[in-house]
Amino acid sequence: MSSAAAPDPVRVRRSLLRWFGREGRSFFWRDPEVGPSMTPFQVLLLEFLLWKTNAARSEGVIRGIVDGFPGPEAVLRRSVAELEELLQPLGLFRRRAACLDRFSRQLVEDFDGELPTDARSLQTLNGIGQYAARATACLLAGSRLMPVDANTSRIFGRLFDEEGPPVRTPGQAWDERMEPFVPKREPKRFLWATMDLSAAFCRPREPRCGECPVRRECGVGRRSG
């Protein structure tokens, strides 16, 4: 672990959200009119479809799929072969179609078609992993338990000036470390801001530390500047 000063959560949060307010990417699910009109199932479906997907290139395809399935019952009216055809443009379509069919069936049979909004229950659904479950809980219920993937792990590793493999399965210590950074109001904006920070500046290779909005609080950013 680095001996560098720890980042100030309040300063990181303020700088990141201020930048996001000016430069954040625009997607249909972030639209203040479209996003709230999505059903809980559509929010889960969105996060499921975004897995291993380039959001910018696939937004149109994703919107068409999301609009067509307001609830799990609509999915079950399609055969798996039909789902595969719909999902083919996103890649991994056979795996995605099988998972979509399974968790939709599970919601109908075990949850009466109603979507739970806590991450633990969401993660019991077939094909829904930690990231999608936590992201959905954040968007639907304001959960401050942030989803963790290679991008999130990289951002926080660099903030604390630590090196190591990316965190895939967050434990209590990791969640406790992240908690002070996440705002109590609209944590979804912090979630989206970290995604956009990774895409714009905190890249795996050749990060743009000199232009990063949180560089003054980042251990790697201070060394690079």
Side-chain angles (χ1 to χ4, degrees), residues 27-49:
F27 296 113
F28 75 86
W29 56 87
R30 295 183 183 180
D31 187 298
E33 295 185 2
V34 176
S37 70
M38 294 170 62
T39 67
F41 180 79
Q42 286 174 320
V43 174
L44 175 66
L45 178 57
L46 169 69
E47 293 302 326
F48 171 74
L49 295 176

Side-chain angles (χ1 to χ4, degrees), residues 27-30 34-51 53 58-75 77-78 83 86-87 90 96 100 103-104 136 139-140:
F27 296 113
F28 75 86
W29 56 87
R30 295 183 183 180
V34 176
S37 70
M38 294 170 62
T39 67
F41 180 79
Q42 286 174 320
V43 174
L44 175 66
L45 178 57
L46 169 69
E47 293 302 326
F48 171 74
L49 295 176
L50 286 172
W51 175 71
T53 300
S58 304
E59 182 178 5
V61 173
I62 291 173
R63 182 161 195 176
I65 296 171
V66 168
D67 286 348
F69 296 113
E73 298 86 356
V75 174
R77 287 194 287 269
R78 301 289 191 100
L83 295 176
L86 284 172
L87 296 167
L90 299 179
R96 291 183 198 267
L100 176 55
F103 73 70
S104 296
T136 300
L139 298 177
L140 290 178

Side-chain angles (χ1 to χ4, degrees), residues 115-134:
L115 190 77
T117 57
D118 64 287
R120 180 173 295 180
S121 296
L122 286 164
Q123 205 167 339
T124 67
L125 298 174
N126 288 309
I128 300 300
Q130 171 267 135
Y131 191 94
R134 288 188 174 199

Side-chain angles (χ1 to χ4, degrees), residues 147-219:
V148 177
D149 63 0
N151 294 326
T152 314
S153 179
R154 181 172 62 253
I155 289 171
F156 277 84
R158 287 173 174 171
L159 278 170
F160 284 87
D161 199 7
E162 296 174 357
E163 297 182 3
V167 174
R168 299 293 184 182
T169 304
Q172 183 177 352
W174 178 270
D175 290 334
E176 289 176 352
R177 166 178 280 193
M178 289 188 67
E179 192 272 339
F181 293 86
V182 184
K184 295 180 179 179
R185 183 178 180 181
E186 290 196 290
K188 66 182 180 182
R189 287 178 56 81
F190 184 82
L191 170 61
W192 291 338
T194 57
M195 294 177 183
D196 289 5
L197 186 77
S198 173
F201 303 108
C202 201
R203 302 166 178 170
R205 299 178 182 84
E206 299 182 1
R208 297 166 58 194
C209 295
E211 304 167 66
C212 178
V214 298
R215 63 187 179 279
R216 291 184 177 86
E217 288 299 317
C218 176

Side-chain angles (χ1 to χ4, degrees), residues 106-118:
Q106 188 177 354
L107 282 169
V108 170
E109 294 177 353
D110 298 343
F111 293 89
D112 295 323
E114 297 295 323
L115 190 77
T117 57
D118 64 287

